[in-house]
Amino acid sequence: MSDTLRLVETLISRPSVTPDDAGCQALMIERLSAVGFECTTLNFGPAQAPVTNLWAIRRGAGHAQGAPTLVFAGHTDVVPTGPLDQWSSPPFVPTHRDGMLFGRGAADMKTSLAAMVVASEEFIAAHPDHQGSIAFLITSDEEGPSVDGTVQVCEWLQARGERLDCCIVGEPTSVKSLGDMIKNGRRGSLSGKLRVKGVQGHIAYPHLARNPIHLAAPALAELVAMRWDEGNEHFPPTSWQMSNIHAGTGANNVIPGELLIDFNFRFSTESTPEGLQARVHEVLQRHGLDYSIDWALSGRPFLTRPGSLIEAISGAITAVTGLQTELSTSGGTSDGRFIAQICPQVVEFGPINATIHKIDECVATQDIDPLKDIYKQTLSRLLC
């Protein structure tokens, strides 16, 4: 059994259901401290249940002269298991079957964390006087609200004047084979809760009421049909989707007094949150609606164009797997959206994502050490 596999199994065995770290970061600190990392635990959030975060850095010989800092970023928390009786084996007991390692977090993202740690250990052993710096930014609040984790650590780093040059987020990005895809950006996410006011009344006397469903329908049809932008070479066009709609008391003879709609934009770099909000308000106001919207911006879009980081990790993938990787901005949000605010080059790369958040989550055992080797080669290409 390889050192990376042993560490993956140890991490899986710790039931770190978000936001509980369950000692995963302490294990990482033990390993990283032993090879010269300065480790800082950062607790943010409610005093009775703070979120555990880790910033660890090993400064290279050329740090003061501007040699780059490469950050490995990720999360120790995992999503809940779901019904235990539907798992083929206990989710926090690492189990091998048919060439796969099963356990909650196997793919998302404890394999990446273990590979990052062991890659750093092996790189440092081979290059103890490396020029650039290696850092880890780890949270236990990625699968939850994401308010007391990476975003807070980034603000802390910015206040300290810490410079980040490149970052690899260990999200599972591979599709069919390890290394076939990396994410070099993500769309932004802007949500809204729309309340359209009417006047409740008896359904037999509509002239004495104002039905907010009827009032809002033309505006909603316009919003559904609207072309928000055309996207670009890296992003598809911005989309607007309603996720929930509710009105009424449950009785079929009452005109409702209020309509509630939840909606979300997944937007490209061609649009801004402010511009999208303004266009929504323009439509609703033009239709004469009595309304309010509670807005929530969970992340702006980011894009890393080809440069030193993409060149290094793409070259490492080809050297280890023989594949030419694909750059993609598809999928949902990740903590990369926060890191990109303080780091000019951010990509996501990790194992195959087919089973993430599912019952019987797993990773191919044969992919574990090659993932470590890709991370290690990326370190060599950037920091030597």
Side-chain angles (χ1 to χ4, degrees):
M1 184 184 296
S2 74
D3 195 18
T4 313
L5 177 55
R6 280 194 295 270
L7 183 53
V8 175
E9 291 188 348
T10 303
L11 290 170
I12 290 173
S13 68
R14 303 193 176 204
S16 55
V17 176
T18 190
D20 187 6
D21 168 71
C24 291
Q25 291 178 32
L27 178 61
M28 295 177 68
I29 289 171
E30 181 181 351
R31 300 281 293 251
L32 295 173
S33 297
V35 291
F37 281 82
E38 306 167 16
C39 299
T40 304
T41 295
L42 301 164
N43 294 322
F44 298 112
Q48 64 274 19
V51 169
T52 304
N53 303 285
L54 169 64
W55 170 252
I57 186 165
R58 189 181 197 274
R59 302 187 190 277
H63 180 81
Q65 287 72 46
T69 296
L70 171 63
V71 181
F72 286 122
H75 58 91
T76 52
D77 59 323
V78 299
V79 296
T81 62
L84 293 176
D85 59 359
Q86 294 184 19
W87 283 75
S88 301
S89 52
F92 296 112
V93 177
T95 305
H96 292 266
R97 292 191 305 276
D98 303 321
M100 308 296 290
L101 172 62
F102 290 82
R104 175 57 87 220
D108 188 14
M109 54 181 292
K110 292 182 175 180
T111 292
S112 294
L113 296 178
M116 289 169 170
V117 169
V118 177
S120 298
E121 291 172 334
E122 293 183 358
F123 172 76
I124 291 166
H127 307 281
D129 298 319
H130 57 87
Q131 290 298 300
S133 301
I134 313 168
F136 280 74
L137 196 171
I138 310 296
T139 185
S140 65
D141 184 39
E142 198 273 347
E143 300 290 10
S146 298
V147 296
D148 295 314
T150 299
V151 62
Q152 296 273 16
V153 179
C154 287
E155 291 177 3
W156 180 83
L157 290 170
Q158 194 169 32
R160 286 166 53 94
E162 196 74 59
R163 192 190 77 245
L164 282 60
D165 299 287
C166 303
C167 178
I168 300 172
V169 186
E171 291 292 340
T173 60
S174 301
V175 181
K176 295 181 179 179
S177 301
L178 177 69
D180 61 2
M181 181 178 289
I182 64 176
K183 306 289 187 179
N184 65 316
R186 294 281 191 169
R187 294 177 293 175
S189 179
L190 173 67
S191 297
K193 183 177 287 292
L194 169 65
R195 292 175 171 83
V196 179
K197 296 180 181 179
V199 176
Q200 183 174 309
H202 196 292
I203 207 161
Y205 301 93
H207 61 288
L208 300 177
R210 285 173 53 82
N211 192 321
I213 302 174
H214 295 185
L215 295 171
L220 295 178
E222 185 173 337
L223 291 170
V224 168
M226 187 172 287
R227 191 75 171 178
W228 301 94
D229 61 44
E230 299 303 318
N232 55 38
E233 61 180 318
H234 301 286
F235 291 96
T238 291
S239 68
W240 184 83
Q241 293 290 322
M242 289 182 282
S243 57
N244 290 285
I245 185 166
H246 175 77
T249 64
N252 65 2
N253 62 350
V254 178
I255 292 173
E258 187 177 61
L259 171 66
L260 301 177
I261 297 171
D262 292 317
F263 63 86
N264 177 265
F265 283 102
R266 290 302 166 102
F267 62 101
S268 76
T269 50
E270 296 297 307
S271 292
T272 65
E274 297 78 15
L276 295 172
Q277 290 177 19
R279 293 177 68 182
V280 170
H281 283 297
E282 188 279 327
V283 170
L284 299 176
Q285 291 168 6
R286 180 159 39 80
H287 284 270
L289 298 180
D290 183 4
Y291 75 95
S292 65
I293 301 179
D294 294 326
W295 294 98
L297 176 65
S298 59
R300 294 179 180 270
F302 73 91
L303 178 69
T304 296
R305 298 183 183 277
S308 59
L309 177 57
I310 288 178
E311 181 180 341
I313 194 167
S314 298
I317 288 170
T318 300
V320 174
T321 69
L323 297 176
Q324 297 293 323
T325 194
E326 175 186 352
L327 301 180
S328 172
T329 62
S330 63
T333 59
S334 79
D335 277 0
R337 67 191 189 274
F338 304 127
I339 301 168
Q341 303 305 308
I342 64 170
C343 182
Q345 298 185 74
V346 179
V347 300
E348 302 168 19
F349 173 63
I352 293 174
N353 58 22
T355 64
I356 60 174
H357 294 203
K358 292 184 178 181
I359 301 293
D360 283 350
E361 180 181 350
C362 59
V363 65
T365 307
Q366 67 177 9
D367 288 346
I368 292 175
D369 277 307
L371 178 61
K372 177 264 297 180
D373 291 337
I374 292 169
Y375 288 150
K376 184 170 69 172
Q377 281 212 24
T378 303
L379 283 168
S380 296
R381 290 165 183 258
L382 285 172
L383 304 186
C384 288

